[in-house]
Amino acid sequence: MLSAKFLVALLAAPGAFGATNWIVPGAAWYDTAGKKIDAHGGGIVKRGNTFYWLGQSVSNNIAPQMYSSTDLLNWENLGVQASITQLWRPKYAKPNGEYWIFGQQDRYADSLVSSSLVGGYTQHAKVYLPPSSYSYSDTGMFYDDSTETWYLLTSADHNVVQVNAINSDGSVGTRASHSQSSAGAYEAPGMFKAGGVYFLIVSGKTGWRANPNKVFTASSINGPWSGGSDIAPENENTYNSQNTFELTVSGSQATTYIYMGDEWDSSGGASSNYTWLPMSVNTGAKTVTLQYYSMWKVDPNTGVVSTPSSSAKYPASVASVSGRAAISTRSIVSLSPGDEITFSNVTATGGTQWVKLLYDVRNREDGEVHLFVNNEPKATNIAALNSRAGYALEVPVALKLNEGSENTVTLSATGREGFAVQVKGIEVVEN
Ligand code: GLA
């Protein structure tokens, strides 16, 4: 017999119930086996019609782990790529006939090599970059298709982000350029090229805490780099994420540039999620602006970005409330700790469905918003389903709902006095 504990775990694993149909910034993202995707500080390459996502695996002591997908939504875990640990921010490169991974280990840039794209990587060399007295932190990667050259991006001591070509023997050689040290302290570098302009995206240095990531531009890979403007409204702290890689999807109708960020938990641990967003790129003004969507996807063939077209709306004014909750205006219910709001007769197609929770919080640090669905035995902290909880006004969560119109969804506020939750409603997104 299944234990009650196992049943709860099963209910909490939405990926186990079917295909992933949207990219949802901050939401727990499950692989095709129903496990949370564990590839942080990573990057993506495309070979044929397949995308390969390589990143650091928290559950394997920061080993490089790879996933593959043809739609950028459903990812199959191809496993750990080398018996190496503590290799941070691994990135793939192919400067010659062999396959390479570059990452940071023990404050050095490190390289691994394999005869195949998937699996079999062994350590090649600790890479000494000029000037060799520096110690290195975050690694990034950029492939310049105009010169067919791979560039290792590193952030180093002395606040310099370096751009070094990878030689055809896999060694790291010529320093193409470096960002201005006077411009500030940066890390987590990633790069893409659009309209002849090189865009270098970096984060500030605040450990695991998010900060406003910036963009620098140059008309040559050799620099000079200028800029340093925000890629999102400053107070959003890059929507609580940190840059790791820029992915270009060149389709038949559009080219879409994707920002890939990590939504780290307080220690870069297993509960960290991902924030991917399309970027609006202005090659004339040399600016980059993240286009924030709570749910979106890109068609890898056409390159076109889309968002869900329709959802059934359940405003707070039709819900029942308990506790001290009062209808403060016609459309917003304010919950204090101990209060609940229940949406009844919620219609669903059965199985896992995205539900957008529309609420704002006051004094975020003082409480949590919890969720009950139907007669589930246990409440879930919404932040465990989507780390945008409490930060964004629209938080999609994947819920297991019954087919038909009998579902109930309850939100409750818990925490200290002063914590308040203003609930506008919920929206069930059509599958
Ligand atoms: C920064 C780096 C991460 C990690 C943390 C540790 O966020 O970008 O890769 O090293 O610091 O504090």
Side-chain angles (χ1 to χ4, degrees):
M1 210 181 98
L2 293 175
S3 71
K5 202 173 160 192
F6 180 71
L7 275 175
V8 170
L10 207 61
L11 284 170
F17 294 100
T20 301
N21 42 12
W22 298 103
I23 294 172
V24 184
W29 197 346
Y30 293 88
D31 67 17
T32 52
K35 288 209 173 115
K36 259 188 97 167
I37 295 176
D38 190 6
H40 299 275
I44 288 180
V45 289
K46 189 181 186 195
R47 291 291 171 266
N49 287 327
T50 305
F51 296 93
Y52 294 89
W53 175 1
L54 179 75
Q56 70 194 41
S57 166
V58 177
S59 57
N60 290 292
N61 204 359
I62 317 296
Q65 179 150 274
M66 202 186 276
Y67 293 80
S68 70
S69 172
T70 52
D71 60 10
L72 294 168
L73 298 167
N74 295 282
W75 294 92
E76 182 189 350
N77 188 353
L78 304 178
V80 161
Q81 299 298 299
S83 51
I84 189 169
T85 58
Q86 300 296 312
L87 185 77
W88 299 81
R89 294 181 175 270
K91 302 285 181 329
Y92 167 93
K94 194 165 184 282
N96 51 29
E98 294 176 300
Y99 302 82
W100 297 77
I101 292 173
F102 289 81
Q104 181 260 126
Q105 191 190 46
D106 203 16
R107 308 291 292 173
Y108 285 96
D110 205 1
S111 67
L112 316 180
V113 66
S114 173
S115 57
S116 57
L117 168 60
V118 182
Y121 288 87
T122 54
Q123 185 161 23
H124 179 76
K126 272 186 174 176
V127 180
Y128 294 87
L129 305 181
S132 56
S133 59
Y134 283 22
S135 80
Y136 293 89
S137 50
D138 295 350
T139 44
M141 189 65 70
F142 170 66
Y143 177 67
D144 193 345
D145 54 11
S146 57
T147 54
E148 300 187 349
T149 306
W150 294 82
Y151 289 93
L152 179 66
L153 316 174
T154 54
S155 59
D157 289 352
H158 315 292
N159 299 329
V160 172
V161 172
Q162 287 188 208
V163 180
N164 286 67
I166 299 177
N167 297 328
S168 58
D169 63 357
S171 63
V172 175
T174 334
R175 184 165 80 182
S177 57
H178 60 87
S179 65
Q180 305 300 316
S181 56
S182 59
Y186 299 112
E187 60 187 4
M191 196 186 287
F192 69 100
K193 189 182 177 187
V197 179
Y198 294 83
F199 291 85
L200 170 66
I201 294 184
V202 289
S203 79
K205 284 188 167 176
T206 54
W208 300 116
R209 281 173 299 110
N211 55 59
N213 289 199
K214 312 275 187 192
V215 61
F216 290 85
T217 61
S219 51
S220 157
I221 191 81
N222 301 116
W225 295 91
S226 57
S229 56
D230 290 336
I231 62 170
E234 190 183 6
N235 63 349
E236 293 282 2
N237 284 324
T238 328
Y239 305 106
N240 289 354
S241 70
Q242 182 185 28
N243 183 52
T244 179
F245 193 77
E246 280 46 69
L247 174 66
T248 300
V249 176
S250 308
S252 55
Q253 291 174 36
T255 300
T256 293
Y257 303 97
I258 300 174
Y259 161 89
M260 289 171 55
D262 291 287
E263 190 124 0
W264 301 113
D265 64 18
S266 59
S267 61
S271 72
S272 302
N273 289 314
Y274 308 94
T275 286
W276 293 9
L277 290 168
M279 298 184 273
S280 160
V281 179
N282 185 326
T283 55
K286 300 187 175 170
T287 56
V288 167
T289 309
L290 301 189
Q291 301 295 289
Y292 188 80
Y293 299 112
S294 70
M295 302 176 71
W296 67 284
K297 66 180 167 192
V298 59
D299 183 319
N301 298 314
T302 63
V304 172
V305 167
S306 61
T307 56
S309 54
S310 58
S311 55
K313 297 183 169 65
Y314 299 84
S317 54
V318 305
S320 59
V321 294
S322 73
R324 291 165 294 166
I327 308 237
S328 26
T329 74
R330 256 167 61 90
S331 54
I332 296 175
V333 170
S334 185
L335 307 180
S336 299
D339 296 347
E340 290 185 358
I341 180 167
T342 297
F343 299 86
S344 307
N345 302 326
V346 174
T347 302
T349 51
T352 306
Q353 206 158 347
W354 288 102
V355 178
K356 293 181 183 175
L357 309 175
L358 314 180
Y359 66 90
D360 199 0
V361 297
R362 201 180 66 212
N363 300 335
R364 185 194 296 138
E365 307 304 326
D366 287 335
E368 294 173 355
V369 189
H370 288 186
L371 172 80
F372 300 82
V373 175
N374 295 330
N375 48 9
E376 261 180 30
K378 203 170 145 273
T380 308
N381 179 357
I382 294 167
L385 304 177
N386 188 328
S387 29
R388 302 289 296 140
Y391 291 89
L393 300 179
E394 187 175 297
V395 180
V397 292
L399 299 182
K400 171 121 171 53
L401 299 173
N402 299 325
E403 185 183 352
S405 61
E406 300 297 311
N407 294 283
T408 60
V409 175
T410 299
L411 303 183
S412 69
T414 155
R416 287 192 285 274
E417 202 179 323
F419 181 61
V421 186
Q422 276 92 36
V423 181
K424 262 175 83 178
I426 65 171
E427 291 182 18
V428 181
V429 179
E430 281 185 12
N431 274 333

